[in-house]
Amino acid sequence: MRRRQQWIGYAFIMPNLIGVLLFFIIPALFSAVLMFTDWKFTSPTFHFVGWDNILRLFHDELFYISLKNTALFLASVPVSVALAFVVAVILNRSVYLKTLLRALYFMPYITSGVAVAFVWMLLFQPKQGPINGMLASLDIAQPGWLTSPDSVMAAIDIIWIWFMLGYNMIIYLAALQEISPELLEAAKMDGASVRQTVFRIMLPLVSPTTFMLIVTGLIMTIKTFGIIEALTQGGPGNSSLIMSLYVYKTAFRYYEMGYASTVSWALFAVILVITAIQWIGQKKWVHY
């Protein structure tokens, strides 16, 4: 009977396991092999080149540019998480039309990334866009936003913060509603101010949620390329070229599948290092 139950359990998880095997494990292993070849997408033949792709990576100026731009892009994650916590604390209280406000904040996250990109392209239009129009009315210098190498990553960060805010807020709302009302009432009776309640009680209690949002947010941000591809295609120049977009361009524009696999494994290494650092930091924080 126990063996029969085990087989029934395996039957239930088998479709998911097959999907993981076909679309994740096998492609990852294939990519690891391609990393040591010079295979081009348009050629049926390939040759093993040893460590040449890895050595090329260390001397590739575009790789370092994409790494720097990825770091600038990642700066949007903690900002979005912090803003989401503030919004969640406000909307967790008795606020007029708070259900509608929650829906409005969450709506961008379920909107197509390409649609979001085109709307923000209109908003950031240098000469006729409403954002620069508002800045001009206030006698403030109007940046080029998506058309200037000096401001393009800042513009993309603003879009990404806005895009992820609703998702982070919903997760925080769920975490805040798990805090015992008796604990908050006791703090209020002891004379704790709103600021003390938020930073001494709420924030520490939702720290596992904060850790989860930062880790998943960083991973999602590193892998994102659709919005940037629709916004700037990595330009102007290469000023908004991030690592995931560099992998895509190398593989499907230049057809260098071997080198694209090398860059993708470098991207995996970056994700692994960031997650490990945060995991160690979270364990030390919990221990403290």
Side-chain angles (χ1 to χ4, degrees):
M1 178 64 70
R2 184 172 182 178
R3 183 174 296 178
R4 181 182 177 184
Q5 291 177 344
Q6 288 178 341
W7 281 110
I8 292 174
Y10 290 142
F12 274 106
I13 67 174
M14 189 59 66
N16 193 38
L17 286 177
I18 292 174
V20 171
L21 182 66
L22 290 178
F23 298 108
F24 290 94
I25 296 178
I26 292 178
L29 295 176
F30 185 57
S31 174
V33 174
L34 286 182
M35 185 168 58
F36 300 99
T37 71
D38 62 353
W39 182 52
K40 294 185 180 294
F41 192 67
T42 54
S43 173
T45 62
F46 61 89
H47 305 89
F48 284 95
V49 295
W51 300 96
D52 288 358
N53 285 329
I54 298 176
L55 295 175
R56 174 184 170 184
L57 185 72
F58 287 113
H59 296 88
D60 186 359
E61 183 180 355
L62 278 181
F63 171 72
Y64 291 108
I65 291 174
S66 68
L67 192 62
K68 181 196 73 172
N69 292 335
T70 300
L72 294 174
F73 193 27
L74 291 178
S76 64
V77 175
V79 177
S80 180
V81 170
L83 289 176
F85 176 74
V86 174
V87 175
V89 169
I90 295 172
L91 294 184
N92 195 43
R93 296 171 171 267
S94 298
V95 178
Y96 185 64
L97 295 177
K98 69 178 181 180
T99 302
L100 176 61
L101 290 173
R102 291 174 181 178
L104 291 176
Y105 273 108
F106 186 70
M107 195 173 296
Y109 184 73
I110 60 175
T111 305
S112 167
V114 176
V116 167
F118 280 107
V119 169
W120 278 96
M121 284 173 66
L122 296 176
L123 293 175
F124 278 139
Q125 213 282 331
K127 295 183 178 179
Q128 299 177 349
I131 293 178
N132 273 2
M134 181 183 65
L135 294 176
S137 66
L138 298 174
D139 199 22
I140 299 175
Q142 302 94 54
W145 297 117
L146 298 173
T147 62
S148 171
D150 297 327
S151 59
V152 62
M153 286 310 303
I156 291 173
D157 282 355
I158 291 171
I159 297 171
W160 191 248
I161 290 168
W162 173 84
F163 183 76
M164 292 298 299
L165 182 64
Y167 170 78
N168 294 334
M169 178 207 66
I170 290 295
I171 302 299
Y172 265 133
L173 277 173
L176 290 172
Q177 290 171 7
E178 291 297 319
I179 298 176
S180 172
E182 291 80 8
L183 179 62
L184 299 178
E185 186 65 27
K188 185 177 180 180
M189 293 180 63
D190 286 341
S193 64
V194 175
R195 179 178 177 276
Q196 290 173 327
T197 302
V198 170
F199 289 100
R200 298 293 182 87
I201 298 177
M202 292 183 178
L203 189 58
L205 288 177
V206 300
S207 60
T209 302
T210 303
F211 172 71
M212 184 272 291
L213 287 176
I214 291 178
V215 170
T216 56
L218 289 173
I219 293 173
M220 186 182 302
T221 302
I222 289 175
K223 296 192 302 179
T224 296
F225 79 94
I227 288 182
I228 298 181
E229 172 68 13
L231 284 169
T232 64
Q233 296 83 46
N238 293 306
S239 55
S240 63
L241 182 71
I242 63 172
M243 291 183 68
S244 57
L245 187 57
Y246 188 36
V247 172
Y248 170 77
K249 284 187 172 183
T250 305
F252 300 108
R253 290 192 182 180
Y254 309 127
Y255 304 115
E256 297 185 21
M257 304 301 292
Y259 188 60
S261 298
T262 305
V263 180
S264 67
W265 277 96
L267 179 61
F268 168 77
V270 170
I271 295 174
L272 183 64
V273 169
I274 291 175
T275 305
I277 292 173
Q278 290 197 323
W279 180 259
I280 294 171
Q282 173 71 5
K283 290 179 69 175
K284 290 183 177 181
W285 170 258
V286 171
H287 177 72
Y288 176 77

